[in-house]
Amino acid sequence: MLKEGVILGERYEIISRIGSGGMADVYKAMDHKLNRMVAVKVMKPEFREDKTFITKFRSEAQAAAGLSHPNVVNVFDVGDDRGVYYIVMELVEGITLKDYINRKGKLSVKEATSIAIQVSLGLEAAHNRGIVHRDVKPQNIIISTDGKVKLSDFGIAKATSSNTISSNVMGSVHYSSPEQVRGGYSDYKSDIYSLGITIYEMVTGRVPFDGDTTVAIAIKHLQEEIEAPSKYTPSLPFSLEQIILKCTQKSPDRRYKSMGELIDDLKHSLVDPNGNFVTLMPLSSHAQTVMVSEDELDKIRSGSAAMAAKKAADEQTSSPRYSKLEDDDDEDDYASYDDEDEYDDDYEDDDYDDDEDDDDDDSGSRVEKVITIGGFVVGGVIICILIYVIAQALGFVGGGRDTSDGNSASSASATVTATATPTPVDSNATANTQEEQVTVPDLRGKTEEEAQQTANEMGLGVKSGGPEPSDSVEAGRICRQDLQPGSQVGKNATITYYVSSGSGKVEIPSGLVGKPRNAVQAALNEVGLEVSFTEDFSSDVPADSVIALDPGEGSTVDQGSTVTVVVSKGAEEDEEVSIPNVQGYSQEEATSILEDRGLVVTTTTATSNRVAIGEVIEQSPDAGTNVAPGTTVTLVINTEEASAEPTTAPEEGATNATWSCNKSLNKPENYQGGVIRLEVIQTVNGSEQSVWQDEGMTLDDSQWPYPINIEWTAPSDASAEVYILISEMDSTGNYQAISKSSTFTADQN
């Protein structure tokens, strides 16, 4: 198994394993060249030294590479890297049809028909390119998350032009056609048969033929007639049942001629579910006994009598007896030959009494002739039987009962039994030969022991299908069964049940946004979730950290579900960054916030009583300024808190003075309408100090611009250059600076 992070062909980065087959593992990977997620099928190590398997592996890609269809999993690339052979395919997020059937038990008619049509369209595209899939089964049909049905895995497909006859059954035996299990030639009609079995399973929840071994199942495909699917789904429309039966005929000649014909009938069944438009080719007669009525027997006798009279008249105008025998040899109508009246007429003929020697000669000639004709007839029958047996073994004729008219020309070899009164059939005796029917019990909600007891009491068997998540049934009890409760089945049938493993729900952890990619993947995998990564630019989240999750944090999903994680690629080169307001934050917090946006931070110090020691007094450029990534932002950090006393205390030799200003403040762009504080900031004794403030106000749009006409006391030698700082109260009750005015000159009175 390949490890995460391995790169194949200098292009495909392995993300995670998503499946495994008989000879290959399938991985989710990132195509770094085209920046897209793909599926990579990698040959298992034990087959890499086997040239036969390598050839077969490559042929899979060659068979499917030419296909491009919405209902086929497309192949993008094929290659090998350091002895690792791989095929790159379209990544389809979804569920196999087999798993879907197992979850639902059986599908609705509309849903099954829709899936069958989409699979048929994909197969039609393959057949048009001379490719036979040869392994059509629910496991190779994927239903994507957007509802699209795609046919995958052309692993045993062969180009039909090769005319290759395999000696092995290559497809899965439950879905293999009779010609496949026989090891014969496989063509388009083999795919039609397998699709018919798949449709059967969709509407009934079961395959028609099952057994303990593959050999037993294969024999059933060859010898046993398929049970009508309506036996297990009584509500199944007549047209769809006929479609299934036509697809699954033993003889390929009796199936649909092409996928196009099948698609037409499937579409027709949607608008006319109970219509009788599906044409099933009748079986030919094979030495079946035909019952002849009394009227028909009379006609045969009348025809024989007329023929005898004609012969007698001819004998009177013709010469010798041997001439009549020669005429009889030329007769084509053997249907009127075997009648005792003809024999009576012959024996009453005067020619037989003329001469005893003539009688002996004529009689001997007749015997010899009868023996000769009989020999030819027997030989012909033997030859016909041999031809039929060989044809049946090769799959050219079917083995079922004939439904055609017994008097047709095709029944020339049939034995005609003349009887005045047909032997009556005992209907009661026929009914007694049928298997005893029982009603399927409802095992849902029972323990395995209870289910075993219930089924055994009714003469039914049970077997476990394994655990299955369930939201409605508690863990340890049966949540689903394959046979529908209340339906009729034969005694000794087996019910497959599935035991609830619990809800199977998990909650997506919180606090993952902003965390590194690897940490988020580990957290999701730990709770039983799969991860699919996508990337996007972000000026707020650093590269290789998580921007968002879908479903979001705190969401409840099925265990094993896939969570899409959006990972930041950093800011685009031409994208500007808006500088956030970090005044009042600690130096560490402010630095982290700015660096996450791709900005460079430098610091200087000052003293202030407006913020705590170690917090940002002011920043440059100002908050809200749009700059390019990599721009330097200077933070002024408070090193010590200025005393309140020196605010108004002049230095030695200086005196206090009254200062004033008259100013109008514009509304800050980032003001949210909350409580604000206004401060006049003046440099006193070498440090910035708040010399005046007013707080607790809430201003609406009509109050801006806001007038400031104030006075305050400060040393006369204080700086005349001042500015007004505007702060807004946050959710914690603390004021955070949101804007400051431009510097202006205060008046000293």
Side-chain angles (χ1 to χ4, degrees), residues 213-253:
T213 65
T214 56
V215 174
I217 300 170
I219 292 174
K220 290 183 179 181
H221 279 286
L222 290 171
Q223 298 182 352
E224 294 187 9
E225 293 298 322
I226 193 169
E227 290 186 310
S230 58
K231 176 181 178 181
Y232 304 102
T233 306
S235 61
L236 187 68
F238 175 76
S239 64
L240 186 56
E241 181 172 62
Q242 294 299 104
I243 290 171
I244 295 172
L245 294 177
K246 186 169 183 177
C247 289
T248 55
Q249 292 293 307
K250 303 294 186 191
S251 173
D253 293 337

Side-chain angles (χ1 to χ4, degrees), residues 667 671-674 676 697-706:
K667 177 184 176 182
Y671 176 55
Q672 303 296 319
I676 64 173
M697 303 172 287
T698 301
L699 305 178
D700 57 33
D701 290 342
S702 65
Q703 294 175 278
W704 298 95
Y706 185 74

Side-chain angles (χ1 to χ4, degrees), residues 610-685:
R610 295 187 293 108
V611 298
I613 296 174
E615 294 181 345
V616 178
I617 302 173
E618 60 180 283
Q619 61 189 75
S620 180
D622 293 334
T625 305
N626 292 327
V627 298
T631 299
T632 299
V633 179
T634 301
L635 304 179
V636 181
I637 309 300
N638 186 27
T639 56
E640 61 179 292
E641 188 173 354
S643 169
E645 294 297 329
T647 303
T648 57
E651 291 186 352
E652 185 177 351
T655 59
N656 282 333
T658 301
W659 297 82
S660 65
C661 71
N662 189 353
K663 187 77 172 173
S664 292
L665 298 177
N666 293 322
K667 177 184 176 182
E669 292 183 359
N670 54 345
Y671 176 55
Q672 303 296 319
V675 179
I676 64 173
R677 180 178 67 189
L678 305 178
E679 298 177 86
V680 176
I681 308 300
Q682 187 177 22
T683 301
V684 180
N685 298 333

Side-chain angles (χ1 to χ4, degrees), residues 3 16 60 284 292 351 392 468 492 531 550 553 574 690:
K3 295 182 178 179
S16 61
E60 174 178 348
S284 59
V292 182
D351 290 342
Q392 190 175 44
E468 185 174 284
N492 299 320
V531 182
D550 183 23
E553 297 177 342
D574 59 348
S690 176

Side-chain angles (χ1 to χ4, degrees), residues 477-498:
R477 293 186 176 271
I478 294 173
C479 59
R480 184 171 65 86
Q481 60 189 77
D482 63 339
L483 299 184
Q484 185 68 26
S487 62
Q488 297 292 311
V489 297
K491 201 168 184 179
N492 299 320
T494 299
I495 305 172
T496 301
Y497 62 83
Y498 301 84

Side-chain angles (χ1 to χ4, degrees), residues 220-531:
K220 290 183 179 181
H221 279 286
L222 290 171
Q223 298 182 352
E224 294 187 9
E225 293 298 322
I226 193 169
E227 290 186 310
S230 58
K231 176 181 178 181
Y232 304 102
T233 306
S235 61
L236 187 68
F238 175 76
S239 64
L240 186 56
E241 181 172 62
Q242 294 299 104
I243 290 171
I244 295 172
L245 294 177
K246 186 169 183 177
C247 289
T248 55
Q249 292 293 307
K250 303 294 186 191
S251 173
D253 293 337
R254 304 189 70 239
R255 302 172 200 156
Y256 284 98
K257 296 180 180 179
S258 67
M259 295 307 305
E261 287 188 3
L262 174 57
I263 293 169
D264 290 341
D265 276 1
L266 286 169
K267 291 180 178 180
H268 195 169
S269 71
L270 290 173
V271 298
D272 187 15
N274 294 311
N276 188 17
F277 54 84
V278 179
T279 303
L280 292 178
M281 185 182 298
L283 293 167
S284 59
S285 297
H286 299 294
Q288 297 186 21
T289 299
V290 179
M291 306 300 294
V292 182
S293 67
E294 186 67 30
D295 291 340
E296 292 170 328
L297 184 60
D298 289 339
K299 291 179 181 179
I300 293 173
R301 287 171 174 169
S302 300
S304 297
M307 181 62 69
K310 181 178 181 299
K311 289 177 181 179
D314 292 341
E315 289 171 7
Q316 293 179 359
T317 58
S318 70
S319 47
R321 179 67 179 170
Y322 66 84
S323 298
K324 178 178 181 301
L325 290 175
E326 292 172 356
D327 292 339
D328 287 345
D329 286 343
D330 294 334
E331 285 294 338
D332 294 327
D333 189 5
Y334 293 103
S336 61
Y337 178 74
D338 191 14
D339 191 282
E340 63 180 7
D341 291 341
E342 184 177 339
Y343 288 105
D344 292 342
D345 292 341
D346 288 341
Y347 285 116
E348 291 172 359
D349 198 310
D350 292 339
D351 290 342
Y352 285 93
D353 299 329
D354 289 341
D355 190 274
E356 185 176 347
D357 293 335
D358 291 341
D359 287 345
D360 292 338
D361 293 341
D362 204 352
S363 179
S365 179
R366 175 180 290 273
V367 171
E368 291 175 0
K369 194 170 213 49
V370 169
I371 293 173
T372 302
I373 293 174
F376 282 126
V377 171
V378 171
V381 170
I382 293 173
I383 292 172
C384 289
I385 292 173
L386 288 173
I387 293 174
Y388 169 73
V389 171
I390 295 172
Q392 190 175 44
L394 295 175
F396 294 116
V397 298
R401 289 186 61 82
D402 182 27
T403 57
S404 63
D405 185 358
N407 295 322
S408 67
S410 63
S411 305
S413 63
T415 302
V416 180
T417 303
T419 176
T421 307
T423 305
V425 179
D426 187 353
S427 60
N428 292 328
T430 302
N432 291 335
T433 62
Q434 297 180 355
E435 188 177 16
E436 183 181 350
Q437 300 288 294
V438 296
T439 301
V440 177
D442 191 351
L443 305 181
R444 294 169 299 183
K446 299 181 181 293
T447 65
E448 293 186 78
E449 292 76 14
E450 293 170 343
Q452 179 79 45
Q453 181 178 354
T454 300
N456 290 346
E457 290 175 353
M458 304 185 69
L460 298 172
V462 292
K463 68 176 182 180
S464 174
E468 185 174 284
S470 174
D471 295 332
S472 57
V473 180
E474 65 176 289
R477 293 186 176 271
I478 294 173
C479 59
R480 184 171 65 86
Q481 60 189 77
D482 63 339
L483 299 184
Q484 185 68 26
S487 62
Q488 297 292 311
V489 297
K491 201 168 184 179
N492 299 320
T494 299
I495 305 172
T496 301
Y497 62 83
Y498 301 84
V499 180
S500 171
S501 59
S503 67
K505 300 288 187 180
V506 295
E507 182 177 312
I508 297 176
S510 299
L512 300 181
V513 173
K515 295 286 185 67
R517 166 181 178 152
N518 293 339
V520 173
Q521 181 176 10
L524 294 174
N525 290 343
E526 186 176 353
V527 296
L529 298 174
E530 299 293 329
V531 182

